[in-house]
Amino acid sequence: SKVRCIERERHALLNFKQDLTDPSNRLASWAVAASNEDCCDWVGVVCHNCIGHVLQLHLRTFYPTTDDDQYEAYERSEFGGKIHPSLLDLKHLIYLDLSYNDFGGTHIPKFLGSMESLRYLNLSNAVFGGLIPHQLGNLSNLHNLNLGDSIYYNSLYVENLQWLSGLPLLQHRGMSSANISQASDWLHDINKLPSLLELRFSYCLSGSISPILSINFSSLTTLDLSYNSFENSSTLFWVFGLHNLVSLDLSYNQFQGPIPVHLQNLTSIGHLNLSDNTFNSSIPNWLFSFSHLEFLNLRENNLEGTISSSIGNLTSAISLDLSTNEHEGKIPRSFGNLCKLRVVRLSYNKWSQEISEIFESLSGCVSNGLVILDLSNAQLSGQLTDELGQFKNLVILSLGNNSISGPIPWSIGNLSSLRSLNLETNQINGTLPPSFGHLSKLESLYIYSNILEGVVFEVHFTNLMRLTKLVASQNQLTLEGSDNWTPPFQVNNLFLESWNLGPKFPSWLCSQEQLSILDISNTGILDTVPSSFWNLSSQFMYLNLSHNQIYGEIPNISMILSYSSIIDMCSNHFTGVLPCTSSNVGVLDLSNNSLFGSISHFLCYKTNESKRMSYLNLGRNLLSGEITNCWMKWQNLFALNLGNNNLSGSIPTSIGYLIYLGSLHLYNNKFFGKLPSSLKNCKNLVTIDIGKNEFVGSIPSWIGHRFSSLVILSLHSHNFYGYIPEKICSLTSLQILDLSNNKLFGSIPRCIDNFSAMTTNNNSNGPLFLLKYVLLVIKGKVLEYSTTLQLIKSIDLSKNNLSGKIPKEVTRKIPTNIGVMGSLESIDFSVNQFSGQIPQTMSSLTFLSQLNLSNNNFSGKIPSSAQVQSLNASCFIGNKLCGAPLIENCSIIDVKPNVENKRSKDFGGPEVDWFYVSRALGFVVGFWVVLGPLLLYKQGRIMYFQFLDHLGYKL
């Protein structure tokens, strides 16, 4: 008869279930109903075949490796809650696995230390926290104990490990990510475990290690000390004596210098991971003498020099990773001796070799078994040859970011096992061979940024039913497919920027139900977007339709499910009102379209929800009306561009809620009034570009002391009046200052030389990272800067009423020490009332490409330097200047004033400035010519004023 579970143990399991949270109802079979009363049939329960006692509980949740959708399912499947002490009634339980669940940081129950029959206890990656109970040391039968965590931050810690002495049978010990730094004698405590075979102490150690006289756990075969803070290899003295060690992981530490020579004592080593340290020098030859070595990982170090041909002695090698080092020279032909090789990673080195030579070195028995070959970013050249077809078992081939040229060979169709192919950022030309259609297992294809051209037909995709990622932007390919074509694949990532897909909108995209990332920008589409495509909008994480000629209206995008989604539809012909968007959208660019109407409904949509938007660009549209006071929920904004519209009214005070705002662009609208004082709450501003509006009042002094990181300040073409506030000199990061075309008067503040960022060649991006998305307006010209913006230095104070006397530093002339701003590229002081001489330090502005001092009262000689004299003469007209590039000769002009001065002294009178005399005479004459007849001729006077009254009435 069938053995049934013990009733008391059945109730214990039901009580245990009662305290668990089970969101996906995985334990549905654990029921009271008579049909399920035998607990030995329940999910995760293993009973003794003869006596029916519960022996094992398998309640692990399986963690996915890649797929995001699987990860969401994993989170829904996790057990949580707390562990009920009814487990103590399972007296015969030998196996308990609760790993990869979420117990919310609760403490590991002390009562587990009373379950003396346990041989296997796995609580890893289950989000336990607090002090690890020393009662676990009572589990004298325990063979395997795993409390580590490789997913979440582990808040478990111990004060000491003395309790380990109660586990004499322990063979496998895992405490990854637990904090054992307080247990200074941890190695001594581990030394009391003679049966230990496996020790995993990653991400939990720091500092020095107390020495031990002899090793009692010499049977250890697996040691993982990765992700710690070891710097000196001398801390590993005890490791070098573990002669039975098969697997050693020292990755992600801070070891320096050459690879420790004592490692050669580990003659049984089969798995050696020294990656992500700072080992330097070349790879020692003795490392290639390990006859049992199967896996060698030296990735991410500073290893240099050539690879010795002795590498061919690693005849047991299955996986070699030498990537991300400073290796150079050629890959030795002895690689061909490694017939067991399955994985070769040599990327991010300086091989400077032709790809065909490497294929030749890996030919023969290696090519038959090779599964992964990564040679990306390796400074390779040459052409792909038909030898590529010999690697028939390749699953991953990565040759991206090299200088490989020529066409893709037809033999690529022989790689029937290929799942991922990366040829991006090379110089590959020609067309895609039809043999691409033979790659029936291909999942990811990266051919981005090459010189491919020609036509891609449906036949290229006939058998690509598994394709999920196609990254093929920046080529000159044309896709020809019938109007009713339905691709055999369902991609989730699709990049076809710069392809020719138009003029019709590619309707086959509507069949891609898994599509989450799409870029079809600059693809020649001249059409409307079908409604069936907009229905996919809820699944997009990234959508780029920019730089086409797509027209029609954009419907509301209110159902974006992915957090921080990016939508870019700029530079099209979209019309209609602004669409309402989901609060989950992180980046939205609808600039350079023909959208019209108010933006109030857009800003105030779902005001009860906080917006995740960090970048909003609505510039260059036809938007109008006032901006409503709805910025309270937009606190995540980093960059805001509303420039080049017809927006009006004052800036609402709620803009002060944008405390993270780094870039503000409101240029070329019809805003008026004063700048709101609440704007000073946006103290992270890097750019203020609000030129060409109708703001009034004086320039607020708080701009100087609130915006310490400000790099660009553009207030041109307003009605600002008054003095330039001296507080503006506190903007030491300022690189572009434009106060032109206002009503400012007075002199330039003498502290202008505090703009220290203009005196250095600052090539770091610094806070300008926001500006890679926006345009900059300087002197009425729309200039686009991205990576070079940090190099631009400019001052424009033109078209004001600035003047003043000549103090020591800043006078009625340009500041004498302006020459220290050697990185200035543009200066415009035109149409003011500056006078005096141009300082000679102007000649030291070696980066100067634009200078305009015209229409002032400067006098004297123009400073001589190749940079200044190469400028156009129009930059200096309207002054009393001489010298190149003007045609006036200074030697003649210098004499004339001296003669006139002498004559005036001889006659005992002061020097006469005939310009002011003629201006006074002109005023007197003009006044009497116009008003004289009206005063003397009564009838004419009456007729004149009747005319004015009639004209006023008509107006």
Side-chain angles (χ1 to χ4, degrees), residues 753-892:
D753 57 336
N754 288 349
F755 296 151
S756 56
M758 296 189 185
T759 68
T760 58
N761 296 329
N762 180 16
N763 292 328
S764 63
N765 286 323
L768 294 177
F769 70 96
L770 293 174
L771 305 180
K772 62 185 178 182
Y773 296 110
V774 296
L775 298 175
L776 181 64
V777 177
I778 298 179
K779 288 300 295 173
K781 298 179 181 178
V782 180
L783 304 176
E784 185 171 1
Y785 292 99
S786 55
T787 56
T788 59
L789 183 58
Q790 70 272 13
L791 303 175
I792 307 301
K793 287 28 179 245
S794 172
I795 297 178
D796 190 347
L797 304 178
S798 63
K799 297 182 181 178
N800 281 286
N801 293 312
L802 297 170
S803 61
K805 295 186 178 180
I806 304 180
K808 180 179 179 181
E809 295 143 8
V810 183
T811 63
R812 289 163 58 189
K813 60 175 186 173
I814 301 175
T816 56
N817 54 355
I818 197 170
V820 301
M821 299 181 181
S823 299
L824 271 174
E825 181 185 283
S826 175
I827 300 176
D828 193 340
F829 289 165
S830 64
V831 194
N832 280 287
Q833 300 179 29
F834 294 117
S835 61
Q837 292 187 339
I838 300 174
Q840 291 299 316
T841 53
M842 185 72 74
S843 61
S844 64
L845 298 178
T846 54
F847 287 88
L848 201 63
S849 61
Q850 297 182 35
L851 172 66
N852 194 347
L853 304 178
S854 63
N855 296 300
N856 281 283
N857 294 317
F858 292 118
S859 61
K861 184 178 180 181
I862 297 174
S864 58
S865 75
Q867 191 76 15
V868 174
Q869 294 174 357
S870 65
L871 298 170
N872 195 290
S874 62
C875 300
F876 301 97
I877 62 173
N879 292 284
K880 302 175 182 178
L881 297 169
C882 62
L886 296 177
I887 59 175
E888 285 79 5
N889 192 322
C890 289
S891 59
I892 298 174

Side-chain angles (χ1 to χ4, degrees), residues 322-331 344-359 362 373-382 397-404 422-426:
L322 309 181
S323 61
T324 317
N325 281 286
E326 300 294 328
H327 295 305
E328 56 189 8
K330 294 189 176 184
I331 297 171
V344 175
R345 299 185 187 275
L346 302 174
S347 60
Y348 290 92
N349 281 288
K350 304 174 182 177
W351 301 118
S352 302
Q353 191 174 3
E354 290 202 2
I355 185 63
S356 58
E357 293 181 73
I358 297 177
F359 286 165
L362 297 175
L373 177 59
D374 186 354
L375 293 167
S376 58
N377 292 275
Q379 299 187 10
L380 302 179
S381 58
L397 174 60
S398 183
L399 303 175
N401 292 280
N402 285 292
S403 299
I404 300 172
N422 187 344
L423 302 175
E424 68 182 16
T425 316
N426 279 286

Side-chain angles (χ1 to χ4, degrees), residues 283 285-294 296 309-320 322 334 337-341:
I283 301 175
N285 272 345
W286 56 258
L287 190 59
F288 301 137
S289 65
F290 289 137
S291 59
H292 301 292
L293 192 63
E294 295 180 344
L296 175 62
S309 61
S310 300
I311 198 172
N313 296 331
L314 298 177
T315 54
S316 298
I318 295 174
S319 174
L320 293 179
L322 309 181
S334 57
N337 301 334
L338 309 181
C339 296
K340 295 182 179 180
L341 264 183

